[in-house]
């Protein structure tokens, strides 16, 4: 698609510079902060391998693929030779062809076996939509003798048996493998005996706790496959990440060869950093949080607040669509996507009536036929603007767009480039615009382009031996096949201790032939792959309909009795939270206010695993216990006015996790201008900003981590700031922060100091999830505190004197 209706007819190329100049003119002057040019990349071609089955080559050649890119050929050769391989190349670089060539050739060759399945393959993706997209592509190839099918929660029961007994390529997701394939592996025996390949698509998604779960799941899969005599080759595909071989090795437990040199061609891209304009004022000491995504808030306070990234991106999307520029705008949440699309349509109704239908929303929760229709309309060009979640980031076959808008930081540089890569047609330049949200990290990045464009992408963070994740998987493994001594090394060095603990709790039983599942229920029902702990169901009281679920930890603050809960644009009020029954009952209706939980937090340091000293400042990492109790909630009007505080009687929760913390003597803080009465506010503000900036050095989301600060901690005897992983056992984020402490804290200090507000705002030290209502906060004190810590680091030459402490 070209840049205007007239150009579409003439085939004139899209000009990003002209489009960007139009966006940044008039009332938006000054919002465009930086423009970065990404150079074009030349193609490197390779011949098809000689071993490719003629039917496979013919199918691809008939669709125009008569040669391969160099990375596709390299990955295909390695996989064919039985080497485990990960492809980590850019968006739309054809990674799927790199694994399809060896997989399909082996499957078609195996069709001559007496069973018709001399070889089988299992394809795993993080979303159903991605698997469905792959199946549609395979069906279009029409390779004779190939039987491929999706097997997920939507697959009808009558089709499942046929797939188990006849399909050569099964496309599924980790949840299905966990809940169905492994517990019922006897039913899958013929498929597993012939298992030649396991494909893990979009493997960069598996990080943190989700990555730890997949690592344990893949070890269980390898163990069950070995029971049937199979040792499959693992082929992984990833967005560009740092050290993809190490990430793939942690996931699979196997040595993996990385293919990182992208041989596909790429036209030049113009990448812009954009900061939305200001709204009329908002009180910088405690402005409202929790406004529906996409709505701006004006409380007529003292300090100007920025427009939301969602509202700004909606205006930009409308302008681009009005100019015929085919654009996708990414938002962080489902609600944000709907708000963005709706706002863009309203704007188009004013400036370009008749074009409203050319904009749509795309997110999880839509029916498969709805998603397929949107994808088809986008390819055909009848859809000019699309608001999407990262569901469109994950490999769906949509390319050839003119422009991409990113409403808020997508979490990692890897995701940033993955989403931006959705733009770009053969022979035509493309445009990407990152629109900053009112957040410390977003603000920092648009004012420090070198942090976006001058840095490599992040390394993924995960811990395959997280005991809180691994223990229930060991129990599930024992339920699938009795665990033996020979199995334990597969699961890591702590597997024996975890197994013995499961025996002590009566979950496993030791017998001479191994460890057995000792209960009558299903072991897999105790494991949620996409989180940790139990979930609470949100149930509509009148109908009994389950609206959704929420993890038990979040339930205390988000669906407590009296909470206002928004689900798919509809507002509900929680009438009762039953923690024992794991149910939150809600009634539909908008009371006209929002609710905000307040909590008390404290922490105990269990041990110091690593630490270093910068003069009087000590920085440490290790296991901690974080105690949190939701004590009350506020009711707040849209204007920000608080109209009531209500006590809650909820139990204290204790999270055993990993954390990074640093301590500072009172006299050192006083010497830098932070007097003793000011320490709580300075430490609290520094803690908030540090949480917001942690994604700069780790592949975390703000909601994956938490923090506690105190003017005097009983375990340290000093003012202490602690940042912790928000998952039992830790997720690896705090350790990455420890390793990059100087970079992390320097960026945190700069983000606060460069913010134009007077006393602190959401773009620097206020937090949307603060249990203390963002009180106390001392912006100037936080800058002084962080500057002092960094000065001692510079004085020490940034040398880290490593120590280890026991107990």
């Amino acid at each position: 698609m070209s840049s205007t209706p007239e150009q579409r007819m003439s085939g004139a190329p899209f000009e990003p510079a002209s489009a960007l100049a139009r966006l940044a003119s008039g009332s938006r002057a000054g919002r465009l902060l930086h423009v970065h040019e990404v150079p074009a990349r030349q193609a490197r071609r390779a011949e098809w391998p000689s071993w490719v089955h003629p039917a496979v080559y013919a199918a691809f050649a008939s669709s125009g693929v008569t040669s391969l890119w160099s990375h596709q050929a390299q990955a295909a050769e390695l996989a064919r030779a039985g080497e485990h391989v990960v492809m980590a190349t850019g968006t739309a670089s054809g990674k799927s062809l790199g694994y399809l060539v060896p997989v399909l050739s082996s499957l078609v060759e195996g069709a001559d076996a007496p069973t018709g399945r001399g070889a089988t393959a299992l394809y795993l993706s993080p979303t159903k939509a991605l698997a469905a997209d792959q199946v549609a592509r395979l069906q279009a190839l029409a390779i004779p003798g190939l039987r491929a099918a999706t097997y997920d929660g939507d697959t009808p029961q009558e089709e499942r048996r046929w797939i188990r007994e006849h399909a050569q390529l099964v496309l599924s997701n980790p949840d299905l493998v966990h809940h169905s394939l492994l517990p019922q592996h006897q039913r899958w025996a013929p498929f597993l005996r012939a298992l030649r390949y396991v494909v893990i698509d979009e493997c960069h998604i598996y990080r943190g706790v989700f990555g730890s779960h997949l690592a344990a799941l893949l070890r269980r899969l390898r163990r069950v496959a070995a029971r049937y005599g199979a040792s499959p080759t693992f082929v992984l595909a990833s967005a560009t990440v740092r050290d993809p071989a190490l990430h793939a090795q942690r996931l699979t437990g196997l040595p993996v060869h990385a293919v990182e040199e992208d041989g596909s061609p790429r036209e030049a891209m113009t990448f812009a950093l954009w900061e939305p304009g200001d709204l009329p004022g908002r009180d910088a000491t405690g402005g409202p949080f929790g406004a529906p995504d996409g709505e701006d808030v004006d409380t007529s306070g003292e300090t100007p607040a920025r427009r939301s990234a969602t509202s700004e991106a909606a205006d930009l999307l409308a302008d681009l669509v009005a100019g015929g520029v085919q654009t996708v705008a990414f938002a962080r949440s489902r609600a944000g996507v709907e708000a963005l699309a709706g706002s863009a349509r309203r704007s188009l109704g004013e400036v370009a009536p008749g074009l409203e239908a050319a904009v749509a929303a795309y997110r999880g929760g839509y029916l498969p036929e709805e998603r397929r229709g949107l994808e088809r309309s986008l390819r055909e060009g009848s859809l000019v603007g699309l608001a999407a979640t990262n569901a469109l980031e994950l490999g769906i076959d949509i390319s050839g767009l003119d422009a991409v808008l990113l409403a808020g930081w997508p979490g990692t540089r890897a995701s940033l480039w993955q989403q931006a890569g959705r733009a770009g047609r053969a022979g035509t330049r493309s445009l990407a615009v990152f629109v900053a949200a009112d957040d410390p990290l977003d603000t920092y990045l648009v004012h420090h382009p070198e942090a976006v464009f001058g840095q490599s992408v992040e390394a993924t963070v995960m811990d395959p031996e997280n005991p809180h994740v691994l223990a229930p998987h060991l129990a599930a493994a024992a339920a699938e096949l009795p665990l033996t001594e020979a199995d334990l090394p597969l699961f890591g060095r702590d597997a024996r201790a975890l197994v013995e603990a499961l025996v002590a709790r009566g979950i496993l039983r030791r017998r001479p032939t191994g460890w057995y599942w000792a209960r009558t229920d299903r072991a897999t029902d105790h494991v949620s792959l996409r989180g940790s702990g139990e979930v609470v169901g949100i149930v509509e009281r009148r109908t009994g309909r389950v609206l959704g679920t929420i993890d038990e930890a979040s339930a205390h603050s988000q669906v407590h009795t009296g909470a206002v809960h928004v689900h798919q644009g509809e507002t509900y009020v929680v009438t009762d939270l039953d923690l024992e029954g794991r149910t939150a009952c809600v009634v539909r209706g908008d009371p006209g206010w929002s609710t905000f939980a307040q909590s008390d937090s404290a922490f105990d340091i269990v041990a110091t695993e690593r630490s270093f000293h910068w003069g009087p400042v000590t920085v440490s990492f290790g296991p901690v216990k974080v105690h949190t109790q939701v004590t009350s909630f506020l009711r707040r009007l849209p204007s920000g006015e608080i109209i009531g505080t209500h006590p809650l009687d909820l139990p204290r929760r204790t999270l055993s996790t990993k954390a990074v913390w640093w301590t500072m003597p009172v006299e050192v803080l006083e010497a830098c201008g932070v007097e003793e009465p000011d320490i709580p506010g300075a430490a609290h503000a520094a803690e908030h900003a540090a949480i917001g900036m942690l994604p700069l050095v780790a592949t975390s989301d703000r909601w994956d981590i938490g923090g506690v600060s105190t003017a005097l901690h009983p375990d340290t005897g000093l003012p202490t700031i602690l940042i912790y992983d928000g998952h039992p056992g830790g997720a690896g984020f705090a350790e990455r922060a420890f390793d990059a402490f100087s970079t992390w804290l320097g960026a945190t200090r700069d983000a606060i100091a460069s913010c134009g507000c007077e006393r602190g705002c959401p773009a620097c030290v206020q937090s949307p999830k603060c249990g203390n209502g963002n009180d106390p906060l001392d912006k100037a004190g936080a800058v002084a505190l962080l500057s002092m810590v960094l000065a001692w680091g510079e004085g020490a030459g940034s040398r880290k004197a490593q120590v280890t402490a026991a107990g």
Side-chain angles (χ1 to χ4, degrees):
M1 187 157 182
S2 305
S3 59
T4 69
E6 292 77 20
Q7 289 172 335
R8 239 174 267 152
M9 298 297 293
S10 64
F14 169 59
E15 293 293 342
S18 300
L20 196 56
R22 289 196 303 273
L23 294 178
S25 62
S27 62
R28 299 198 194 105
R31 301 184 191 182
L32 175 61
L33 300 187
H34 182 80
V35 177
H36 177 81
E37 296 295 335
V38 181
R41 183 179 62 232
Q42 298 301 312
R44 293 197 304 277
R45 298 182 182 275
E47 295 299 319
W48 280 78
S50 58
W51 46 260
V52 175
H53 194 281
V56 174
Y57 174 77
F60 281 105
S62 65
S63 62
V65 183
T66 55
S67 64
L68 302 177
W69 307 131
S70 58
H71 64 277
Q72 295 170 333
Q74 183 184 359
E77 292 282 10
L78 287 165
R80 177 72 173 189
E83 298 283 340
H84 309 292
V85 60
V86 56
M87 288 173 287
T89 54
T91 310
S93 61
K95 289 185 286 288
S96 59
L97 201 59
Y99 58 73
L100 285 175
V101 168
V103 168
L104 297 179
S105 289
S106 294
L107 298 186
V108 175
E109 290 165 1
D112 294 332
T115 62
R117 292 200 297 185
T120 61
L122 177 65
Y123 167 95
L124 299 179
S125 70
T127 66
K128 294 177 184 178
L130 188 51
D133 191 66
Q134 288 289 339
V135 164
R137 181 178 183 182
L138 291 169
Q139 290 171 343
L141 287 172
I143 299 173
L146 176 67
R147 298 188 298 274
T150 55
Y151 193 104
D152 55 35
D154 296 332
T155 304
Q157 288 295 330
E158 59 270 20
E159 293 182 18
R160 297 190 175 200
R161 181 175 178 179
W162 183 93
I163 294 171
R164 290 194 301 266
E165 295 180 354
H166 300 288
Q168 301 149 310
L169 175 56
V170 173
L171 298 97
S172 189
N173 53 64
D175 309 86
L176 190 285
V177 174
H178 170 66
H179 288 291
S180 181
L181 190 154
L182 291 178
Q184 303 172 32
H185 59 84
Q186 297 90 345
R187 295 185 178 185
W188 289 85
F191 179 87
L192 290 169
R193 285 192 187 97
L195 188 60
R196 174 78 178 274
Y197 293 102
V198 176
V199 176
I200 312 293
D201 207 356
E202 305 290 353
C203 71
H204 61 285
I205 294 299
Y206 303 108
R207 60 181 186 262
V209 170
F210 192 18
S212 300
H213 276 297
L214 186 75
L217 180 71
L218 293 181
R219 284 156 178 78
R220 287 166 50 201
L221 176 61
R222 287 173 51 201
R223 178 172 171 264
V224 169
R227 162 69 176 77
Y228 294 97
S231 180
T233 298
F234 284 80
V235 186
L236 302 94
S238 171
T240 304
V241 295
R242 191 186 306 170
D243 204 346
L246 178 60
H247 177 58
Q249 181 175 324
R250 285 174 173 165
L251 284 175
T252 62
L254 297 163
V256 181
H257 188 104
V259 175
E260 300 179 74
E261 292 189 15
D262 196 332
S264 64
R266 169 102 204 155
E267 295 299 328
M269 171 187 288
T270 298
F271 208 129
L273 302 183
W274 187 284
E275 186 171 47
D278 288 340
L279 288 169
R282 172 171 60 188
D283 185 352
T285 61
F289 289 99
D293 209 348
E295 294 184 14
D296 292 318
V297 180
D298 173 12
T299 63
S300 301
E302 302 170 2
T303 303
R306 286 208 305 259
R307 297 191 71 207
S308 74
T310 309
S311 295
E312 188 82 354
D315 284 355
L316 298 179
L317 177 62
D319 279 9
L320 289 167
V321 169
V325 181
Q326 195 174 37
T327 306
V328 61
F330 286 101
R332 293 293 306 274
S333 68
R334 294 181 177 186
V337 164
E338 297 287 359
L340 200 160
S343 180
R345 283 192 291 262
R346 287 192 295 273
S347 295
L348 282 167
E350 297 173 2
V351 300
L355 275 180
E356 297 94 331
V359 174
Y362 182 106
R363 59 170 177 80
Y366 285 0
L367 295 175
E369 53 268 28
E370 291 180 288
R371 293 197 301 269
R372 298 291 86 77
L374 290 169
E375 293 160 15
R376 185 169 55 253
S377 297
L378 199 62
R379 293 189 192 103
E380 294 170 351
S382 58
L383 199 59
V384 188
L386 193 66
T389 61
N390 68 349
L392 203 65
E393 171 192 336
L394 300 178
I396 301 297
D397 187 19
I398 297 291
S399 58
L401 303 171
D402 294 315
V404 166
L405 302 172
L406 298 96
W409 183 247
T412 65
R413 294 185 197 89
S415 288
L416 179 86
W417 290 108
Q418 184 84 346
Q419 292 181 4
R422 283 295 169 205
R425 296 179 291 118
T428 304
R429 296 174 59 92
S430 59
L431 172 66
V433 183
F434 164 51
V435 182
D438 205 2
D439 175 88
L441 180 60
D442 289 43
T443 303
Y444 177 84
L445 290 171
V446 292
H447 289 277
H448 294 80
E450 71 281 359
V452 179
F453 304 114
Q455 303 287 330
S456 61
V457 294
E458 306 86 349
T460 52
V461 177
M462 58 171 289
D463 179 10
E465 298 186 17
N466 181 331
H468 294 266
V469 172
L470 188 54
H473 279 280
L474 285 167
E480 290 151 9
L481 293 168
L483 278 170
T484 66
E485 290 283 354
D487 293 325
L488 297 183
L490 177 65
F491 293 97
R493 61 181 181 272
D494 297 328
R496 170 173 286 281
L498 292 173
V499 167
E500 295 297 346
L502 292 169
V503 171
R505 292 166 55 193
I507 294 172
L508 298 184
R509 180 179 296 113
R510 178 69 189 268
R511 291 179 178 171
T513 53
W515 290 273
Y516 288 74
W517 175 246
R519 298 170 51 137
T520 57
D521 53 352
R522 282 169 47 99
T524 52
D525 290 343
H526 296 272
V527 186
S528 172
L529 295 187
R530 298 173 190 262
S532 53
E534 303 287 355
V535 296
V536 171
I538 302 171
V539 179
E540 190 173 21
R541 186 171 185 173
R542 185 177 62 83
T543 64
R545 180 170 65 102
V546 177
L547 299 178
T549 61
I550 188 170
D551 63 278
E552 195 267 342
S554 300
H556 288 234
S557 59
Q558 296 185 36
V559 291
H560 55 76
T561 300
V564 175
H565 177 73
V566 180
H567 178 80
Q568 294 187 355
E570 297 291 340
T571 302
Y572 299 82
V573 176
V574 180
T575 59
D576 179 60
L577 171 61
D578 180 1
L579 291 174
E580 264 189 42
R582 297 202 293 276
T583 302
C585 290
V586 300
V587 294
R588 186 172 173 178
D590 186 352
W593 60 76
S594 53
T595 53
F596 302 84
Q598 296 190 299
S599 61
D600 293 330
S601 298
F603 64 91
D604 300 326
I605 296 172
V606 177
T608 301
E609 292 183 353
R610 302 166 62 194
S611 69
F612 62 87
H613 302 287
W614 282 350
V617 177
T618 299
V619 183
S620 306
F621 167 79
V624 298
K625 290 185 177 179
V626 180
H627 312 287
T628 305
Q629 184 172 20
V630 175
T631 57
S632 61
F633 70 95
L634 305 177
R635 287 187 297 138
R636 182 177 274 157
L637 295 175
S639 65
E641 178 187 353
I642 296 173
I643 58 174
T645 302
H646 306 271
L648 291 168
D649 183 19
L650 289 167
R652 187 173 81 158
R653 298 187 66 258
T654 296
L655 173 69
S656 296
T657 185
K658 296 289 184 74
V660 56
W661 65 93
W662 66 98
T663 60
M664 307 143 289
V666 172
E667 58 270 21
V668 174
L669 287 167
E670 289 180 336
C672 75
V674 182
E675 299 295 331
E676 190 165 359
D678 300 325
I679 292 176
H684 193 199
E687 168 217 324
H688 280 184
I691 291 171
M693 294 301 294
L694 198 147
L696 186 69
V697 297
T699 50
S700 65
D701 185 274
R702 183 179 195 135
W703 303 93
D704 291 326
I705 48 186
V708 187
S709 55
T710 176
L712 178 64
H713 192 272
D715 290 343
T716 65
L718 295 167
T720 305
I721 299 175
L722 177 137
I723 309 297
Y724 62 88
D725 292 342
H727 300 276
F733 306 129
E735 186 166 19
R736 183 57 53 83
F738 176 87
D739 290 333
F741 188 76
S742 179
T743 300
W744 172 42
L745 236 60
T748 301
R749 188 267 316 272
D750 293 348
I752 304 173
S754 63
C755 187
C757 70
E758 293 182 14
R759 290 177 289 166
C761 69
C764 58
V765 298
Q766 289 187 348
S767 169
K769 59 175 186 171
C770 179
N772 295 318
N774 287 293
D775 182 50
L777 289 178
D778 183 346
K779 175 185 175 179
V783 172
L785 181 155
L786 294 169
S787 296
M788 176 273 295
V789 172
L790 291 163
W792 279 106
E794 292 168 3
S798 294
R799 292 190 303 271
K800 294 182 179 180
Q802 297 283 347
V803 299
T804 301

